Amino acid sequence: MTEKTKAKKVVVLGAGFGGLYTALRLDKILGKASPAEITLVDWNHYHLFTPLLHEALSGVIHPSLILTPIRRILHGKRINFVRARIEAIDLEAKTVSLNETVVPYDILVIGLGSVTAFYGLDAVREKALQLKTAEDIDRLHRHVINRFEAAIEETDPSRRKQLLTFAVVGGGCTGVETVSEVHEFVSYLREEQYADLEPSEVRTALIETQDRVLPQMDRTLSRASVRRMQKLGIDVMLNTRVAGYEDGNLLFAGAREPLPVDTVVWTAGVRVN
């Protein structure tokens, strides 16, 4: 087989929406007669339906319902799935180093998504929880329950208030949806399992650096969203820029007083993986 006619090796990194649907579309366009080889690589064995991640947080749906095995999706396709961690890409040699092997490619598709951006706030990064994976849901659930358990035994009112304050930083679509689900979860948790705690002791807050939430949308919708959250009992803090985290307090730029809080969920931006 000559250089021109040999099978092209297409390697797709990442089985999120971009990578997975690229591989599926290529498989459909090329057809079964094509000699091209398509390899899809991801560390997880499942595809996560991220738009419903927040609903899994509050328990509206079970987390398993937003996880679909990748091999099930690829059943009957010519796509080879490799579950591995991607260690490095060598553009000159046209290879991808995985945790156990090296995969050559002719065409490389990078669909590794994004990671959370903390804008140099290292103390916040160390403290904050994220909501990007199924594991993050479990981690946040355990964290919240542990805060309630600690609050039940706490006799210091200021420390108890700190334990029962849940802050979400970032007022974009993800932040608004997350704080609503966090609020629903902690409200239900208090009512069902921690009735000795007064409703007024549990606080959820949304913190946004701009003068409105949902800045990418119409201001009418932004105002309606704020009114809706406030009606639910969510404290919406606009024009508030996070500057750090120290001694159990979320610090802000300017003259605003620090917020004593033990739970910080960060949804204030992403960067390229």
Side-chain angles (χ1 to χ4, degrees), residues 124 167-171 175 205-208 240 242 250 252 264-269:
V124 176
V168 176
V169 182
L206 178 66
I207 301 165
E208 168 55 41
T240 305
V242 172
L250 198 57
F252 305 116
V264 179
V265 183
W266 189 267
T267 64

Side-chain angles (χ1 to χ4, degrees), residues 21-226:
Y21 281 91
T22 296
L24 290 172
R25 182 64 175 165
L26 280 174
D27 179 71
K28 182 177 181 180
I29 292 174
L30 295 174
K32 295 186 180 299
S34 171
E37 300 175 9
I38 305 172
T39 299
L40 179 64
V41 183
D42 198 283
W43 174 243
N44 295 309
H45 64 85
Y46 57 81
H47 169 74
L48 173 65
F49 191 80
T50 51
L52 293 180
L53 192 61
H54 310 88
E55 282 74 2
L57 170 62
S58 64
V60 172
I61 62 174
H62 193 275
S64 63
L65 296 178
I66 61 174
L67 304 176
T68 305
I70 295 173
R71 295 186 188 279
R72 179 190 299 167
I73 298 174
L74 301 183
H75 181 71
K77 310 296 183 183
R78 295 185 308 107
I79 303 168
N80 176 42
F81 174 62
V82 177
R83 185 187 180 192
R85 189 178 300 281
I86 301 156
E87 302 290 351
I89 300 171
D90 189 329
L91 297 177
E92 292 186 3
K94 287 194 170 184
T95 60
V96 178
S97 297
L98 306 180
N99 51 333
E100 294 182 352
T101 186
V102 174
V103 176
Y105 68 83
D106 294 301
I107 299 173
L108 180 67
V109 179
I110 301 177
L112 297 174
S114 62
V115 294
T116 304
F118 288 96
Y119 310 106
L121 300 174
D122 293 337
V124 176
R125 176 178 54 79
E126 293 176 3
K127 176 64 180 178
L129 296 163
Q130 303 178 48
L131 199 59
K132 294 180 73 66
T133 68
E135 290 78 10
D136 290 339
I137 292 287
D138 291 335
R139 188 177 298 110
L140 183 54
H141 268 152
R142 293 193 302 270
H143 175 87
V144 170
I145 291 171
N146 287 338
R147 301 289 84 73
F148 272 87
E149 288 292 331
I152 283 289
E153 304 297 329
E154 184 58 61
T155 57
D156 181 357
S158 60
R159 172 58 178 157
R160 188 158 159 162
K161 182 178 180 181
Q162 180 188 42
L163 287 167
L164 295 175
T165 298
F166 305 91
V168 176
V169 182
C173 293
T174 300
V176 169
E177 197 166 7
T178 298
V179 76
S180 300
E181 298 297 341
V182 168
H183 178 76
E184 183 175 348
F185 177 50
V186 299
S187 299
Y188 174 77
L189 196 63
R190 186 213 63 81
E191 182 178 347
E192 183 198 42
Q193 301 179 36
Y194 301 93
D196 290 341
L197 297 171
E198 293 296 327
S200 59
E201 294 185 87
V202 183
R203 178 189 182 190
T204 52
L206 178 66
I207 301 165
E208 168 55 41
T209 188
Q210 299 190 52
D211 62 352
R212 65 183 181 118
V213 300
L214 305 176
Q216 67 273 53
M217 297 185 180
D218 184 80
R219 283 189 175 271
T220 301
L221 182 58
S222 296
R223 290 192 290 268
S225 298
V226 170

